[in-house]
Amino acid sequence: MSIETIKIFDTTLRDGEQSPGASMNTEEKIQIAAQLERLGVDIIEAGFAAASPGDFDAIDKISQRVINSTVCSLARAIDSDVKAAGEAIAKAKMKRIHTFIATSSIHMEHKLKMSPDEVIKRAVRAVEYARTFVDDVEFSCEDAGRSDIGFMKEISDAVIEAGASTINLPDTVGFRLPFEIGAMVKEMSEYTKGRAIISVHNHNDLGLGVANSLEAVVNGARQVECTINGLGERAGNAALEEIVMALKTRSDVFADYKTNINTKEIYPSSRLIANITGIEPQPNKAIVGKNAFAHESGIHQDGMLKNKETYEIISPADIGLDMDDTLVLGKHSGRAAFKDKLSKLGFIISDEELNASFDRFKILADKKKDIYDDDLRALVTSEMTMAPKIYELISLQLMDCSNGVPSAAVSIRKDGKEIIDAGIGEGTIDAIFKTIDRISGYEGQLLDYKVKSVSEGKDALANVTVKVSFNGEPAIIGHGLNIDTMLASARAYIGALNSYLSMEGKLKSRHSDSSKTI
Ligand SMILES: [Zn+2]
């Protein structure tokens, strides 16, 4: 038997983006897409073009940038969605439209209020229309996990006839067990053999997303949909890194399959997505958690020193994690060493970005003795994903808040002019954010605030992520990076404001019907 390739379909930018509950800016999405391309994913689901002008815009820009992966947009089985998808991916070298409609009786009756025949008609129309834009069309039976298999065969026949070449069977509600997914995939892949490939999209509500995906592979699925760090609606999707490393590590069992993933890009991908979304994988998360390669017990440490394979089934180097923790750079490092280090970390950046990052590195190196890989990753990511600097923080002064009213004086530059104001708040952070609101005239509602130290030590960099809704509009994420947590907070808030202004009127409403997807 020849070795078969399992296509990796990454939906971090679509299903994954639904998990932060806030939009990423376009630059952030482009950087994620570029990293997914380096990782070697076969298909990048870049968004849901009809959901908002911001989504459309990001998919269009990603289509112009990505060369080695297929760029895909999701579309409901309605003409306006398919048209938006087709137009958003028009400039991509390889492109796919992914359309879907629910096939379970519970969804057809209660959500769609349509008969099975009407559902088939809508699906066929969507696929035929999608084929006027692209050759590569994927059709999803939403809620396949709870759909009648006879009906799925019927609708598959119809959409394959209409031009679909991939049939996806999403376990939208994360309900199925591995043996059930295995049986469904086996029957469907035998049925569609030679006509279409079967794909799976397993949600993780019972913690079985990865197990279900692997069971699907051995039963005939040739495409697996997944996300970095397992991001996604509710409990998330099957984690890309776990599926890929299970296939690789257990190549004795999975000898007949391979993926196109460059596993050394797994750790950089995980860090980039955690830095941008502000959602850290749990410490004990398989493959990419902070403790995934930490050996605490004395017996284990002793074994590890004698032979790593005693307790280690994966080498950290295989996922691109440098465990040496060597000091990478310091204040005397020059531009060439800096550039060299960044390229080793997988960053491909323009001269302009290099200069800006190097300037920030120098400022940091003055304050922080040891600069680690993760510091550089966070620093360069924040530089590369920054929205245009409409507002820029010049200085921040805080009153001692141990007793008395917390207050902040903030100086901000806009259009070359410096604006200074001061204000009070419930706490120091509140005082800073309220003062920024007064200066900008935009009223922000803070929905989430997170601070994380990027590396170890007292002088560790603070990475602050805020989720803010300005003037009652959909929320957006902002980031700030500094040794000083208060400065990082002010930068994060201004970053969110700049992202908001760069996408004003283009954000999707989280409550709109179009955000409900597979
Ligand atoms: Zn999903």
Side-chain angles (χ1 to χ4, degrees), residues 381-401:
T381 301
S382 85
E383 193 55 49
M384 290 171 80
T385 57
M386 211 178 276
K389 285 182 191 166
I390 298 166
Y391 290 92
E392 195 177 352
L393 183 71
I394 301 171
S395 70
L396 173 67
Q397 237 181 315
L398 300 169
M399 284 277 288
D400 179 10
C401 55

Side-chain angles (χ1 to χ4, degrees), residues 14-15 201 203 237 518:
R14 202 276 300 162
D15 210 322
H201 176 110
H203 274 273
N237 272 75
I518 58 166

Side-chain angles (χ1 to χ4, degrees), residues 26-83:
T26 309
E27 267 314 304
E28 289 168 333
K29 290 183 181 175
I30 293 170
Q31 289 305 326
I32 290 176
Q35 177 58 34
L36 292 171
E37 185 183 24
R38 281 196 287 278
L39 178 63
V41 310
D42 300 279
I43 301 110
I44 297 171
E45 187 160 57
F48 184 4
S52 72
D55 273 52
F56 185 98
D57 207 31
I59 299 168
D60 175 48
K61 294 215 166 76
I62 288 167
S63 297
Q64 296 177 52
R65 163 92 182 237
V66 168
I67 293 164
N68 297 314
S69 305
T70 296
V71 179
C72 173
S73 170
L74 187 68
R76 287 170 299 179
I78 48 180
D79 283 3
S80 54
D81 271 33
V82 173
K83 183 166 187 275

Side-chain angles (χ1 to χ4, degrees), residues 7 32 66 148 198 203 290 311 313 343 376 389 435 462 468:
K7 286 187 185 177
I32 290 176
V66 168
D148 174 65
I198 292 294
H203 274 273
K290 189 165 174 276
Y311 289 100
I313 61 163
S343 79
L376 286 178
K389 285 182 191 166
T435 307
V468 193

Side-chain angles (χ1 to χ4, degrees), residues 162-174:
S165 48
T166 304
I167 303 291
N168 184 39
L169 306 174
D171 185 18
T172 307
V173 293

